[in-house]
Amino acid sequence: MMRTFHIERPDQNRRTAIQEKIDNLNKPKGSLGMLEEIAMQICLIQQTLSPTLSHPCHLLLGGDHGIEREGVSVSPRDVTWQQMINFTHGGGGVNMFCRQHGFHLRIVDVGVDYDLSRVPGIIDRKIARGTRNFLHEPAMTDEQFNRALSVGIDLVDDCHAEGCNILSIGEMGIANTSPSSIWMSLFCHLPLDECIGAGAGLNDAGIQHKRAVLQQAVEKAHTVTGNALACIQYFGGFEMVAAIGAMLRAAELRMIILVDGFIMTACALAAIQLEPAVRDYMIFTHYGDESGHRRMLDSLGVHPLLSLGLRLGEGTGALCAYPIVDSAVRMINEMNNFQNANITKYF
């Protein structure tokens, strides 16, 4: 049985006072656009008129996928462990952006098909050396699902204990666009064809093959496709379920969650299926280059902060968006109001 989460929607009673503070900053009403929306959301999460961002943390979760054996990705699974080691040397995009924006990076092996237990800098939380091939059987057992969920929960608890109140999550897992596409199709009620893209760089023939494999997998798993929890377990990756656990626990602790591109949006979508209130704690940061991502964001009714054409993963879009979130907090805390600035309120 899945752990029970107690996620409360932010109390809306402060909304009027927050809006009055935003509207009385010395600027035309609404002139700072999405910054005002972000400030409102964070103030509601923290239940304050003076929000803070403290000790930002980034979880980089690694795992391999059995479906990769079906040739649905242009990259071989060896790239997963090779990149995980590269991250420990500080050479990845995620490392650069974490350094730039002051994030504490945790690199976590949740299910990589390689022995990384002796690699300094990698937290060993391996459940198995990759999931099973969901073309033929469920990707994970009940016990493995709950372990993966607990990995995310425990990591967030560690971050929170250090004073973190804003979290971003990234992934490293060859072929994880495949379960993401299936979740998108099932949870957004869209044809699977509209949810499948090139991943790390498939050509047209490769995309057609991927579509055929995933369609066959969904048809074989028809008995579970009406149950969100069963779908997450049947198709998901260990790193993806850990991300879901992290999101749910972060919301339970009233932390801000920065959601990255296609795969992390799919994880957010899955988390919302399990606990709808988690949505209130999420800031969607980036519209990625994967086919279908815009449709998924539209189905959630959200507008991401950035559209940079990124498709690296690793949570890089969320990290790039952090300064915008910081600007929203600085706006409401540091801008003067009309009265103190001796400016006539002109609206």
Side-chain angles (χ1 to χ4, degrees):
M1 179 177 288
M2 191 185 88
R3 176 195 188 278
T4 300
F5 293 87
H6 301 283
I7 301 172
E8 297 181 1
R9 292 193 180 276
D11 187 343
Q12 300 296 308
N13 287 330
R14 290 179 180 263
R15 180 176 288 274
T16 299
I18 297 166
Q19 192 64 57
E20 286 178 355
K21 182 174 181 180
I22 292 172
D23 289 345
N24 279 295
L25 299 175
N26 54 354
K27 59 174 181 58
K29 186 176 181 179
S31 61
L32 284 176
M34 291 184 73
L35 294 184
E36 300 185 22
E37 297 174 19
I38 297 166
M40 171 64 78
Q41 183 179 356
I42 294 175
C43 286
L44 287 172
I45 290 171
Q46 297 183 359
Q47 290 292 291
T48 181
L49 296 177
S50 302
T52 60
L53 303 177
S54 63
H55 193 68
C57 287
H58 186 81
L59 307 179
L60 194 287
L61 309 171
D64 280 305
H65 295 251
I67 196 65
E68 178 271 338
R69 301 299 192 194
E70 302 298 327
V72 296
S73 173
V74 71
S75 302
R77 68 170 51 200
D78 284 352
V79 172
T80 305
W81 68 261
Q82 291 165 359
Q83 275 285 46
M84 292 290 282
I85 292 174
N86 179 48
F87 297 145
T88 69
H89 299 153
V94 65
N95 302 96
M96 172 187 65
F97 292 126
C98 280
R99 287 192 298 267
Q100 180 183 7
H101 302 306
F103 275 71
H104 180 185
L105 172 63
R106 283 175 165 83
I107 306 166
V108 189
D109 173 10
V110 192
V112 178
D113 187 10
Y114 192 83
D115 183 7
L116 297 170
S117 60
R118 293 189 176 93
V119 178
I122 294 180
I123 300 170
D124 183 8
R125 296 290 184 271
K126 192 191 299 289
I127 293 164
R129 290 180 61 148
T131 55
R132 299 179 300 190
N133 186 343
F134 63 65
L135 179 61
H136 307 297
E137 59 186 330
M140 63 190 77
T141 65
D142 291 350
E143 187 267 342
Q144 288 175 328
F145 170 84
N146 284 309
R147 283 179 61 193
L149 205 69
S150 293
V151 168
I153 293 167
D154 292 344
L155 289 167
V156 169
D157 282 342
D158 291 342
C159 293
H160 188 259
E162 294 171 359
C164 172
N165 71 0
I166 181 166
L167 178 80
S168 57
I169 308 169
E171 42 64 39
M172 183 63 227
I174 299 303
N176 57 14
T177 59
S178 291
S180 299
S181 295
I182 291 175
W183 286 354
M184 175 185 171
S185 173
L186 296 176
F187 299 149
C188 298
H189 307 289
L190 293 169
L192 186 58
D193 280 358
E194 298 179 18
C195 305
I196 295 171
L202 288 171
N203 59 21
D204 289 344
I207 293 173
Q208 291 302 319
H209 171 71
K210 181 177 179 180
R211 284 175 176 161
V213 169
L214 298 190
Q215 187 64 55
Q216 185 180 358
V218 171
E219 290 171 359
K220 284 185 175 182
H222 66 92
T223 57
V224 305
T225 53
N227 181 293
L229 180 58
C231 288
I232 293 167
Q233 180 177 326
Y234 196 100
F235 298 108
F238 294 133
E239 84 284 15
M240 298 171 75
V241 174
I244 292 169
M247 291 174 181
L248 294 173
R249 180 57 175 154
E252 195 171 41
L253 293 170
R254 295 185 172 277
M255 297 167 67
I256 304 157
I257 306 162
L258 303 181
V259 180
D260 186 39
F262 185 65
I263 285 109
M264 281 301 114
T265 303
C267 291
L269 179 65
I272 291 166
Q273 305 306 302
L274 301 177
E275 294 284 347
V278 70
R279 166 66 186 84
D280 294 334
Y281 297 85
M282 295 173 170
I283 297 174
F284 290 82
T285 60
H286 182 253
Y287 164 44
D289 204 32
E290 179 68 9
S291 175
H293 190 200
R294 174 60 70 183
R295 296 287 302 276
M296 191 170 4
L297 292 165
D298 288 345
S299 75
L300 288 167
V302 297
H303 303 284
L305 304 182
L306 301 173
S307 179
L308 301 178
L310 305 182
R311 53 184 177 88
L312 176 61
E314 304 174 14
T316 46
L319 294 166
C320 284
Y322 176 75
I324 297 174
V325 178
D326 184 39
S327 292
V329 170
R330 290 177 181 272
M331 174 203 74
I332 197 166
N333 285 332
E334 298 179 19
M335 278 187 72
N336 212 340
N337 59 36
F338 285 102
Q339 182 177 358
N340 289 338
N342 292 316
I343 297 173
T344 301
K345 191 172 181 180
Y346 48 91
F347 60 86

